[in-house]
Amino acid sequence: AQSVTQLDSHVSVSEGTPVLLRCNYSSSYSPSLFWYVQHPNKGLQLLLKYTSAATLVKGINGFEAEFKKSETSFHLTKPSAHMSDAAEYFCVVSDPNQAGTALIFGKGTTLSVSS
Amino acid sequence: GAVVSQHPSRVICKSGTSVKIECRSLDFQATTMFWYRQFPKQSLMLMATSNEGSKATYEQGVEKDKFLINHASLTLSTLTVTSAHPEDSSFYICSAGGGGVVTQYFGPGTRLTVL
């Protein structure tokens, strides 16, 4: 069975400082991994995805994540936080070998950005 | 990216009534649609997987007679909450995918409040 663990339920940073949101996954095969962001009262937006190509994945809004198989991790980073980055972030896993497979969501990490 | 819409965005109903939520893929054919439920400050929990032209597959603990899902076409899936009760109040989100595409596209969600 697949699962994801987001290690921090809440992360607080100052504007302009780096962001690190941690995610570990468990899967019996090479999974597809995603990071989604959810702003208050808005829908989910895909930040980036890993699907067995390059292990360093660049996403929108300056975010990137690195797939590390040896550590079973897919941490999300951004060099410099912006106030607009404050939101809920979900690490997600799916089975790439089955088209149309349901996504498994982590519990989410709330990112707060202070000025 | 592809666009998925949900209607209505918000609905308030009386206890005992039924509510239908529509999920549409606007610019692609979705062979598979998924319905998720999100409680306040919690992650998304998969309710069911809906394949066009066949019966939905429900997750353990989800009552199929209470949450009726119909996926009659490649662009439309509906979720009907029958005999709604206050504990059914939640944020319902659909996603669409399939056809060999790993990425799923999420609708903006529907907030259901049962009085």
Side-chain angles (χ1 to χ4, degrees), chain A residues 100-114:
Chain A
T101 304
L103 302 179
I104 307 299
F105 281 75
K107 292 185 180 297
T109 299
T110 302
L111 175 64
S112 299
V113 182
S114 58

Side-chain angles (χ1 to χ4, degrees), chain B residues 11-54:
Chain B
V11 57
I12 301 173
C13 68
K14 293 182 178 180
S15 185
T17 61
S18 294
V19 175
K20 179 185 284 188
I21 303 170
E22 293 185 348
C23 177
R24 292 181 185 272
S25 57
L26 299 183
D27 52 2
F28 71 104
Q29 293 185 328
T31 54
T32 307
M33 288 185 171
F34 304 91
W35 287 95
Y36 296 85
R37 183 173 180 177
Q38 185 181 31
F39 290 103
K41 299 188 185 300
Q42 294 190 28
S43 188
L44 279 72
M45 298 299 294
L46 178 67
M47 297 175 66
T49 302
S50 168
N51 291 298
E52 186 265 338
S54 62

Side-chain angles (χ1 to χ4, degrees), chain A residues 6 8-10 21 35-40 43-45 47 85-91 106-112, chain B residues 38 41-44:
Chain A
Q6 291 184 244
D8 307 292
S9 59
H10 198 151
L21 304 184
W35 275 98
Y36 282 87
V37 61
Q38 186 180 38
H39 287 92
L44 287 160
Q45 182 181 22
L47 277 179
D85 294 328
E88 188 79 11
Y89 291 79
F90 294 99
C91 182
K107 292 185 180 297
T109 299
T110 302
L111 175 64
S112 299
Chain B
Q38 185 181 31
K41 299 188 185 300
Q42 294 190 28
S43 188
L44 279 72

